[in-house]
């Protein structure tokens, strides 16, 4: 931990001890977040919940986090608050404590809302830490950070098998220990973060006289940001279908047990974590726009045929699709940060916060459709979502973005 306190920041050096530590905390944070879908099969049976009610629980967690993320990011862009990181994790700890003892739908929603608040605080400020520690390896650094989150998410099926099947809902109490460990690590990160604020300067977009050229450029930037948020929403919507409902689909259509169905979801999430780690370095070499485009287009045929294949084929398809579709996850954020430099907290909160908020609405919609139309219908519907990645062709090139930023320097 001394390395975190003594590391000196430069414009070119990549501070791997900081990146690995914040990635580890991301793993712990998102492993706690993944408790919520992991516990769905248990509370559905014990509380006799409908798919729509399960969607409401997912909505409460994700929507609160998504609404607060850009607001917190916007505020801390002008006034960074390093020690907000451990404070946010304290909300997560309280949420896990509440979840272990909640035996009504209302109390469960309240508990997951507290967990959502903790996530909303963590992601914008953690993204700022990653930017400060990245040096010139921004794609790789975001991949290191994001792979921690995806690794944490991939633990959800294993937690169902090892914790919630034998222990039931009360097994959530063990995650208060994980939250406490994360708080300790974040105290060290916050100390490093506070010291680096004395020497680090984020790029600032200077105010200029408004001209017709500026107006035209600003419209193009606004459209590009809207498109980025939409593409992240599409990817998140598809991910919500897999992580929240695919296990139920396997149970219903293939006769699998809860335990066996969770292994398939685990496979998808592990492949996604590997894909994220690969996407950053690929974008540093081949360009961010290219990685975003090809990751979604290549996954489209895989996701379309997934609901129609035999059980034996679901393993390789989930493995390949998880790797491909999520490989541009961290790349998308780096692209957005270059599109609008100097607004790390707000942009990271907007790109991931608001888009996942829309995906939370999607979780309710998917749950309602599953109750009415059946699980296979929503799996088939979700399969066509990655094809919308073709819209990436309308994003400005990275060369164009550099020219815009040079004009604004």
């Amino acid at each position: 931990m001394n390395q975190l306190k003594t590391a000196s920041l430069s414009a070119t050096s990549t501070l791997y001890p900081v990146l690995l530590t914040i990635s580890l905390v991301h793993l712990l944070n998102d492993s706690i977040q993944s408790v919520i879908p992991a516990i769905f099969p248990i509370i559905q049976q014990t509380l006799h919940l409908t798919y729509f009610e399960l969607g409401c629980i997912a909505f409460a967690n994700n929507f609160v986090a998504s609404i607060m993320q850009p607001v917190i990011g916007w505020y801390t862009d002008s006034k960074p608050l390093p020690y907000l990181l451990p404070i946010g994790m304290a909300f997560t700890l309280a949420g896990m404590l509440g979840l272990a003892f909640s035996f009504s739908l209302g109390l469960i929603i309240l508990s997951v809302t507290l967990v959502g608040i903790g996530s909303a605080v963590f992601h914008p400020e953690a993204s700022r830490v990653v930017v400060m520690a990245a040096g010139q390896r921004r794609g790789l650094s975001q991949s290191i950070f994001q792979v921690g989150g995806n690794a944490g998410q991939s633990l959800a099926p294993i937690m169902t098998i090892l914790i919630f099947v034998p222990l039931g809902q009360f097994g959530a109490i063990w995650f208060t220990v994980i939250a406490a460990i994360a708080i300790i690590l974040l105290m060290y990160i916050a100390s490093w973060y506070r010291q680096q604020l004395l020497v680090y300067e984020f790029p600032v977009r200077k105010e200029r006289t408004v001209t017709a050229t500026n107006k035209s450029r600003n419209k193009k930037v606004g459209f590009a940001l809207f498109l980025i948020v939409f593409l992240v929403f599409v990817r998140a919507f598809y991910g919500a279908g897999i992580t929240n409902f695919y296990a139920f689909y396997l149970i219903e259509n293939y006769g699998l047990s809860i335990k066996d169905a969770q292994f398939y979801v685990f496979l998808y999430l592990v492949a996604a974590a590997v894909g994220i780690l690969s996407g950053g370095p690929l974008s540093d070499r081949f360009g961010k726009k290219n990685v975003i485009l090809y990751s979604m287009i290549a996954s489209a045929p895989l996701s379309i045929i997934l609901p129609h294949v035999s059980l034996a084929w679901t393993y390789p398809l989930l493995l390949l699709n998880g790797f491909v579709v999520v490989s541009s996850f961290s790349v998308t954020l780096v692209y957005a940060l270059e599109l609008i430099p100097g607004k790390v907290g707000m942009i990271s909160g907007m790109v991931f916060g608001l888009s996942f908020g829309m995906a939370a609405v999607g979780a309710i919609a998917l749950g309602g459709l599953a109750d009415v139309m059946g699980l296979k219908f929503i799996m088939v519907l979700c399969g066509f979502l990655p094809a919308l990645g073709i819209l990436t062709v309308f994003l400005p090139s990275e060369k164009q973005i550099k020219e815009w930023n040079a004009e604004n320097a």
Side-chain angles (χ1 to χ4, degrees):
M1 292 302 176
N2 288 334
Q3 286 178 292
L4 296 183
K5 292 184 177 182
T6 59
S8 62
L9 197 68
S10 73
T12 58
S13 61
T14 302
L15 304 180
Y16 291 102
V18 177
L19 292 171
L20 292 173
T21 302
I22 198 66
S23 179
L24 174 59
V25 177
H26 200 184
L27 184 152
L28 298 177
N29 179 82
D30 282 26
S31 68
I32 296 172
Q33 291 285 323
S34 64
V35 165
I36 296 164
I39 211 170
F40 277 2
I42 305 301
I43 62 175
Q44 186 200 36
Q45 293 181 357
T46 58
L47 299 180
H48 308 291
L49 302 178
T50 66
Y51 290 123
F52 177 77
E53 288 171 329
L54 292 176
C56 288
I57 295 172
F59 173 83
N61 173 253
N62 291 334
F63 192 72
V64 168
S66 67
I67 289 297
M68 289 186 65
Q69 275 194 51
V71 175
I72 292 172
W74 169 79
Y75 180 78
T76 56
D77 277 335
S78 58
K79 188 178 180 180
L81 299 171
Y83 286 97
L84 199 60
L85 285 165
I87 291 172
M89 191 59 66
F91 277 90
T92 298
L93 191 154
M96 283 294 100
L97 188 63
L99 186 59
F101 294 98
S102 296
F103 295 102
S104 70
L105 178 61
L107 289 176
I108 288 176
I109 288 177
L110 175 61
S111 298
V112 302
T113 297
L114 291 175
V115 176
I117 292 172
S119 180
V121 172
F122 173 76
H123 285 93
E125 286 298 88
S127 294
R128 198 185 317 280
V129 169
V130 173
V131 169
M132 289 192 295
Q136 298 298 310
R137 307 294 302 276
R138 299 188 73 179
L140 174 62
S141 297
Q142 277 295 334
S143 288
I144 291 172
F145 173 61
Q146 296 295 346
V147 77
N150 272 68
Q153 293 170 21
S154 71
L155 296 176
I158 300 301
M159 289 188 291
T160 302
I161 295 167
L162 299 180
I163 298 176
F164 297 119
V165 169
L167 298 180
Q169 184 179 336
F170 184 72
I173 196 71
W174 289 103
F175 293 90
T176 60
V177 177
I178 292 178
I181 294 171
I183 289 172
I184 294 171
L185 292 173
L186 285 174
M187 289 297 292
Y188 282 97
I189 286 288
S191 177
W192 177 87
Y193 178 4
R194 182 176 60 83
Q195 293 177 16
Q196 297 308 318
L197 286 176
L198 301 175
V199 297
Y200 190 91
E201 294 184 5
F202 287 94
V204 176
R205 295 178 69 87
K206 297 179 180 179
E207 296 294 331
R208 288 178 155 253
T209 302
V210 177
T211 65
T213 300
N214 290 339
K215 285 183 178 180
S216 175
R217 183 181 65 235
N218 290 341
K219 286 181 180 180
K220 292 177 182 178
V221 170
F223 173 76
L225 183 61
F226 169 81
L227 188 53
I228 280 289
V229 171
F230 177 75
L231 291 172
V232 176
F233 157 66
V234 167
R235 191 193 298 113
F237 198 108
Y238 179 74
I242 296 294
T243 57
N244 289 318
F245 298 107
Y246 190 66
F248 293 112
Y249 174 75
L250 292 171
I251 293 168
E252 180 179 294
N253 288 270
Y254 297 98
L256 298 184
S257 66
I258 292 176
K259 180 179 179 180
D260 290 338
Q262 292 297 327
F263 277 116
Y264 287 80
V265 181
F266 173 70
L267 182 71
Y268 171 85
L269 292 172
V270 168
V274 176
I276 274 193
L277 191 59
S278 304
L282 287 173
S283 71
D284 287 335
R285 181 171 183 180
F286 298 108
K288 300 169 189 64
K289 180 179 175 179
N290 289 334
V291 171
I292 295 170
L293 173 63
Y294 293 121
S295 73
M296 296 190 71
I297 294 302
S299 70
L302 303 174
S303 62
I304 289 171
I305 66 173
L306 179 63
H308 307 288
V309 299
S310 65
L311 188 62
W313 276 102
T314 58
Y315 267 128
L317 281 176
L318 280 171
L319 183 67
L320 186 57
N321 196 32
F323 176 87
V324 174
V325 74
V326 190
S327 61
S328 60
F329 186 85
S330 61
V331 178
T332 308
L333 177 57
V334 177
Y335 180 94
L337 290 174
E338 293 181 357
L339 187 66
I340 305 181
K343 299 292 183 182
V344 176
M346 187 186 73
I347 295 302
S348 62
M350 182 179 295
V351 169
F352 292 117
L354 291 182
S355 57
F356 280 111
M358 290 185 284
V361 176
I364 290 185
L366 290 175
L369 282 173
D371 286 331
V372 176
M373 304 296 295
L375 287 167
K376 185 165 185 177
F377 175 81
I378 66 169
M379 287 296 107
V380 172
L381 178 66
C382 287
F384 287 92
L385 290 173
L388 293 172
I390 191 66
L391 296 174
T392 305
V393 299
F394 295 108
L395 289 173
S397 67
E398 290 162 74
K399 180 181 178 181
Q400 180 68 71
I401 292 174
K402 288 180 180 178
E403 291 176 358
W404 289 343
N405 290 337
E407 292 173 4
N408 210 46

